Amino acid sequence: MTALVLLEIENGTVRQASRSAITAASAFGPVDVLVLGAGAEIAARLPGVTRVRHAESLSDAVAEPAAALLAEIASDYTHIVSAASAVGKNILPRLAGLLDVQPIPDVVAIKDAETFVRPIYAGNALATIRSSDSIKILTVRGANFDAVANEGGSAAIEAVSLSSASNVPAVDLISVNLSTSERPELESARVVISGGKGLKDAENFKLLEPVADKLGAAIGASRAAVDSGFAANELQVGQTGKIVAPELYIAVGLSGAIQHLAGMKDSRVIVAINLDPEAPIFRVADYGLVADLFTVLPELEHAL
């Protein structure tokens, strides 16, 4: 058996979630990776990678040609894997449709080559499922698999291209806007501090920044905070956002709706600060402080 991992490269480095996908895929045997656009040399240095298949003319920002290329080379593999990221969730379901197989999303554990564990009911239960498809299409949660190192490998690089006979919908890439930040990547940060609607507005949301700076933390947000315009979409933690499992998760002014808990309840230590003692977030918190966040945050910053 051989597995193929769809790799994501951002700002000149392989994303942690993709490096975790390599670890997951190694359970099936030798691992090849597919790089769309620039970055094949970076991918070749990853330990555990046998071969880098490089489609320089394609981009992971456009799902249709990427899925078509994967469909053309899929017969070389028993498993095709990506991180459960926006890119993976965009491309792999299209690939599964082209191959007429069932995609298996959000895998958190691998029992064997046909048996996988994934959360259901917003993470309140785990389902163990078995697939008899000849090619298994998986997205995996990066927080549940250790990431391989950035250096230590020396894989061969092979150029691949989309066949001219492929029937790909006419899609044009207009632009890609990537945010840059000095903070750790949300999905791989050791500490995350997240704000909810209790912060009241975008200006108050910035009160998280001094505490995050002291802790070297990434900043997250609830869906309510994002929908209200307090924070950018990319900061959303939850079932419809990013899944995180840091060593320390601090929830500030965040009630703990079930879709948010699905994205962070595997954190090692959870701290909740909320004025409402009945807030659901206290049910999963290791430490809870019933207090006014506008008083607590400055005090916390000063103490740190």
Side-chain angles (χ1 to χ4, degrees), residues 164-176:
S164 59
S166 288
N167 184 20
V168 180
V171 177
D172 293 324
L173 176 62
I174 304 301
S175 66
V176 176

Side-chain angles (χ1 to χ4, degrees), residues 122 141 143 192 194 221-222 237-239 242-246 248-251 254 256-272 280-282 284-286:
R141 287 193 177 181
V192 173
S194 284
S222 68
V237 173
Q239 186 179 18
K242 293 181 177 177
I243 308 298
V244 301
L248 172 63
Y249 188 89
I250 305 175
L254 192 155
I258 191 169
Q259 81 89 24
H260 184 82
L261 299 183
M264 47 65 70
K265 66 181 182 181
D266 290 332
S267 304
R268 186 171 300 174
V269 176
I270 299 172
V271 176
I281 189 68
F282 288 123
V284 299
D286 298 284

Side-chain angles (χ1 to χ4, degrees), residues 28-225:
F28 308 125
V31 176
D32 290 354
V33 299
L34 174 64
V35 174
L36 305 175
E41 295 78 11
I42 297 169
R45 296 197 292 268
L46 296 173
V49 174
T50 303
R51 176 174 56 164
V52 177
R53 307 193 79 171
H54 184 208
E56 188 171 9
S57 62
L58 298 184
S59 166
D60 60 18
V62 184
E64 289 80 4
L69 174 63
L70 279 164
E72 290 182 2
I73 63 176
S75 60
D76 296 339
Y77 303 99
T78 56
H79 298 76
I80 298 177
V81 182
S82 85
S85 61
V87 169
K89 292 175 181 178
N90 197 20
I91 295 175
L92 261 59
R94 286 178 165 86
L95 169 63
L98 293 173
L99 298 178
D100 193 25
V101 300
Q102 173 67 48
I104 306 170
D106 288 328
V107 170
V108 297
I110 296 169
K111 298 289 189 181
D112 57 43
E114 295 183 341
T115 312
F116 315 98
V117 179
R118 63 177 301 269
I120 58 175
Y121 302 125
N124 287 298
L126 295 175
T128 300
I129 59 175
R130 177 168 291 165
S131 171
S132 59
D133 287 329
S134 58
I135 301 175
K136 279 73 170 176
I137 309 294
L138 317 173
T139 64
V140 299
R141 287 193 177 181
N144 293 87
F145 299 91
D146 293 332
V148 301
N150 279 306
E151 302 282 346
S154 56
I157 299 176
E158 172 194 310
V160 292
S161 59
L162 190 60
S163 166
S164 59
S166 288
N167 184 20
V168 180
V171 177
D172 293 324
L173 176 62
I174 304 301
S175 66
V176 176
N177 297 314
L178 295 177
S179 61
T180 57
S181 173
E182 297 299 319
R183 300 191 190 283
E185 185 180 350
L186 184 57
E187 291 161 299
S188 59
R190 188 182 64 84
V191 180
V192 173
I193 180 168
S194 284
K197 205 169 181 180
L199 284 156
K200 298 184 179 179
D201 59 40
E203 192 62 32
N204 286 331
F205 199 86
K206 295 177 182 177
L207 293 173
L208 301 179
E209 294 178 1
V211 176
D213 291 339
K214 298 279 188 182
L215 295 172
I219 291 179
S222 68
R223 179 174 178 174

